[in-house]
């Protein structure tokens, strides 16, 4: 059973370009979380999705950022018109529906560098 | 709003010292509790977890944590730390009403050799 897969592991974008980060949850998991980790800072919640639904996007910046988790395929975190301040590590975690024993499994992360 | 608080943002200890990292949450319902560790340059890994039963749980690498329901706490402990424990530690809580996992801001632990 493969773990949470994120790709690419490293992504370099020029200012103004778009960044697409992909997350394939573990098999059977229907919940996906995205977190951002800025240099020298902790893990910050961005968005929580279930299949085809955004449950909580309270941590998402109001502009340029969007996320989706379609019925088929990976979850996508999309950053439009990237700026230098978007440079960070973006981690995805997945879990199964909570029934008393849920836990989150993390991917290796995508390190975005905006030049 | 539900939240998870980690009291110490940055802890510095010498090798062989004892460690206790605090974690409190604000939610009165059913919870599952976790500690994750992130070694430098790596992703988050599960250190230990509590679902039910014995409130004292043991994890990998000699870590343990105690769930005290009356205090809404889940503190992480290790009797004797090693230089290789240098990492960032995150407390996380799953709350059944929201079916969502919330993380604390993390504690950076630096062990002096």
């Amino acid at each position: 059973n493969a773990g949470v897969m994120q790709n690419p592991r490293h992504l370099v974008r020029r200012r103004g370009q778009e960044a697409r980060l992909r997350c394939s949850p573990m098999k059977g998991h229907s919940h996906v979380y995205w977190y951002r980790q800025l240099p020298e800072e902790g893990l910050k919640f961005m968005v929580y999705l279930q299949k085809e639904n955004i449950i909580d996007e309270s941590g998402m910046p109001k502009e340029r950022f969007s996320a989706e988790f379609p019925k088929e395929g990976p979850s996508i975190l999309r950053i439009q018109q990237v700026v230098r301040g978007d440079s960070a590590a973006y981690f995805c975690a997945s879990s199964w529906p909570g029934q008393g024993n849920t836990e989150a499994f993390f991917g290796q992360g995508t390190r975005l560098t905006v030049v | 709003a539900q939240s998870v608080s980690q009291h110490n943002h940055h802890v510095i200890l010498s090798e062989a010292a004892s460690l206790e990292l605090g974690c409190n949450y604000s939610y009165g319902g059913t919870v599952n509790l976790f500690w994750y560790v992130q070694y430098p340059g790596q992703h988050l890994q599960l250190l230990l977890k509590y679902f039910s039963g014995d409130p004292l749980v043991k994890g990998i690498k000699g870590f343990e944590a105690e769930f005290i329901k009356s205090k809404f706490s889940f503190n992480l402990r290790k009797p004797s730390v090693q230089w290789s424990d240098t990492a960032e530690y995150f407390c996380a809580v799953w709350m059944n009403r929201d079916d969502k996992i919330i993380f604390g801001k993390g504690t950076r632990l630096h062990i002096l050799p």
Side-chain angles (χ1 to χ4, degrees):
Chain A
N1 188 6
V4 178
M5 304 299 293
Q6 287 188 251
N7 65 82
R9 292 288 308 278
H10 300 276
L11 181 62
V12 179
R13 284 288 177 265
R14 296 186 186 277
R15 279 179 295 171
Q17 290 185 318
E18 178 180 284
R20 279 183 179 242
L21 288 63
R22 287 177 290 277
C23 170
S24 296
M26 286 181 69
K27 187 176 181 180
H29 286 191
S30 58
H31 295 195
V32 165
Y33 305 80
W34 284 94
Y35 296 85
R36 177 164 65 175
Q37 188 171 39
L38 292 165
E40 304 303 317
E41 294 190 22
L43 207 63
K44 294 188 187 300
F45 168 79
M46 297 183 75
V47 62
Y48 164 43
L49 309 103
Q50 296 176 15
K51 285 280 188 181
E52 298 184 280
N53 284 304
I54 297 175
I55 307 301
D56 182 348
E57 55 182 348
S58 57
M60 288 278 270
K62 294 286 186 280
E63 298 176 346
R64 302 189 296 108
F65 284 72
S66 63
E68 62 177 14
F69 187 19
K71 187 177 180 181
E72 302 290 339
S75 174
I76 306 287
L77 179 68
R78 183 181 175 206
I79 311 172
Q80 296 178 290
Q81 300 174 332
V82 296
V83 301
R84 289 231 169 96
D86 296 332
S87 295
Y90 292 83
F91 289 96
C92 165
S94 73
S95 69
W96 57 84
Q99 294 181 3
N101 63 347
T102 191
E103 64 181 88
F105 294 82
F106 279 83
Q108 299 271 2
T110 294
R111 278 163 177 78
L112 172 65
T113 302
V114 180
V115 297
Chain B
Q2 297 90 354
S3 67
V4 179
S5 298
Q6 291 184 238
H7 313 304
N8 314 100
H9 296 297
H10 201 172
V11 173
I12 301 174
L13 295 172
S14 297
E15 276 195 305
S18 65
L19 170 72
E20 181 160 3
L21 301 181
C23 174
N24 285 88
Y25 63 94
S26 58
Y27 178 67
T30 301
V31 294
N32 294 336
L33 302 159
F34 311 89
W35 277 96
Y36 287 84
V37 60
Q38 185 180 29
Y39 297 104
Q42 297 188 26
H43 66 296
L44 278 82
Q45 304 170 43
L46 185 67
L47 202 53
L48 49 78
K49 61 188 177 186
Y50 171 82
F51 290 156
S52 63
D54 188 345
L56 183 63
V57 292
K58 296 193 183 297
I60 60 173
K61 305 186 180 185
F63 285 92
E64 64 178 33
E66 185 175 11
F67 171 45
I68 303 179
K69 190 174 182 180
S70 60
K71 294 185 178 180
F72 300 92
S73 69
F74 190 56
N75 292 355
L76 181 71
R77 299 194 293 250
K78 185 170 183 178
S80 177
V81 294
Q82 301 172 308
W83 179 78
S84 58
D85 293 325
T86 294
E88 189 159 15
Y89 293 80
F90 294 91
C91 178
V93 179
W94 174 82
M95 303 171 185
N96 74 329
R97 186 175 68 188
D98 293 337
D99 191 18
K100 183 172 73 174
I101 297 175
I102 298 176
F103 282 79
K105 291 183 183 290
T107 297
R108 287 179 179 264
L109 175 64
H110 186 72
I111 306 299
L112 301 173

